[in-house]
Amino acid sequence: MGTKNRQRRQAKQRARVEHQRRRQERAGGERSAPVGPLPAHVVEPLARQAVIALHRRDDADAWEHCAVLADGARWIGGQRAVDAALFAVVQHELTAAWTRGWQPADVVRFVRRERGAQGGRVILDAIAAEMRGYAAATVDEGWDAQLRALDANVWWGRDDEYIAALAAREGLARLEVIRRLVEVVHALAYAGSIQMLCPPPGKARRGSLAPATATGRAADQRQLDRVRALLAKAESTTFAEEAETYTAKAQELMARHSIDYALLAAQSGTRDEPTGRRIGIDNPYEGPKALLLDAVAGANRCRAVWSSSHGFVTVLGFPADIDAVELLFTSLLVQATTAMTHAGSRRDAYGRSTTRSFRQSFLTAYAQRIGERLATVTKEATEQAGREMSGQVGAEQLLPVLASREAAVGALTDELFPTLVGKSVAVSNREGWASGRAAADLAQLTPRQAVDS
């Protein structure tokens, strides 16, 4: 029924467009070539009107504006000129999003959340096209890493060929493709502003243009590779005691590296500043998942701020610590999901499903218990480092340095999120709570990410 109604609406829209064309022909006489307005002058206003209609939830009006854009044959330059101008509107909206704090991974995640997989593919193409306008030296390294991870590339020919190429790839009619582009513009236009975590493209300075900073990223990466290699051995062995030894050593390496790096930076006088990274949180059970990430972040001297409407958590801390948080969170989330799934579904005495409340409570309890375990491990690692350094030059700096770094992270959090408020996650299923804590006690406190050793 829905498909038939949609086809009727589209037929009416095509009839309106044809009626408008005939009126223009009667007013201006027969013409041998398209003579309408220049697409650059009318495409953006039409697209904006379609976006406003979408925001008003006036679907019929949105389709009507898209139908006018889809016709375009009577305009100067024809459909190709319209297509280039419309794709430029998407890129322009994307450029504006960069100035409001959005980064490539954020935008793709958000548009997929709002407009589904097809919208996600359109925004990925728009990112690839828009990034052609920036010199490599003016794009932040973290930004560039996101682009590589997203595999954003220009797979079509010229921009005036993009809509036709996308229609062929997606198996959609021209009108439907134009509607997809308008929906992406709508998502971007009403996305609002978020915290600026790094310079937007065109504003960053890399290489010889960059200020002198000590990132230590190569050393951090080597350390993470050692951790991954230990975990690969832990996951491949069938002996529980051997696996525990490997995972305990991996956790020790992560905690000790954070301490050693903090002391080295302080003693050498190098500039080391906290930063931020956004980590996606997917449905279902977003609240407990965000709580788990908060627990992992807190135990690693980071702060986590959940933006529920955008589907991500911003983790603030020093780069090596954020790396550890992301790896560990990913691992623990996989373990928690596996344990929760194995626990099966639940029903009450009346046969009604209680699976959702069970799993909500399970993940919440899991997150809380993991936070307790991680806090203990961090405390023990710090105390052990203090004992080993006893009597050495700089030993008295350990606690003040760690406290100073935590204060710097707190200051950055306050600067970026001045109106931050706490949020609780409700628990309504005792069985789920007990099962979640039990699963947390069995969890490995190290990332489950195997690499070649």
Side-chain angles (χ1 to χ4, degrees), residues 58 65 97 139 169 177 228 237 244 315 348 357 389 407 414 451:
D58 188 343
H65 284 92
V139 179
R169 188 183 74 174
V177 172
R228 294 187 181 106
T237 182
E244 184 179 348
V315 178
D348 64 14
S357 66
M389 293 178 60
D414 292 341
V451 298

Side-chain angles (χ1 to χ4, degrees), residues 339-362:
M340 181 181 69
T341 303
H342 286 166
S345 58
R346 292 291 190 277
R347 292 190 177 275
D348 64 14
Y350 301 98
R352 296 171 300 192
S353 174
T354 58
T355 300
R356 184 171 183 83
S357 66
F358 173 85
R359 291 182 172 178
Q360 180 92 4
S361 300
F362 181 104

Side-chain angles (χ1 to χ4, degrees), residues 308-356:
S308 57
S309 61
H310 294 141
F312 58 69
V313 168
T314 304
V315 178
L316 301 151
F318 289 84
D321 295 333
I322 296 178
D323 287 341
V325 167
E326 188 167 16
L327 286 171
L328 186 51
F329 167 69
T330 302
S331 167
L332 291 172
L333 185 57
V334 169
Q335 295 181 63
T337 302
T338 300
M340 181 181 69
T341 303
H342 286 166
S345 58
R346 292 291 190 277
R347 292 190 177 275
D348 64 14
Y350 301 98
R352 296 171 300 192
S353 174
T354 58
T355 300
R356 184 171 183 83

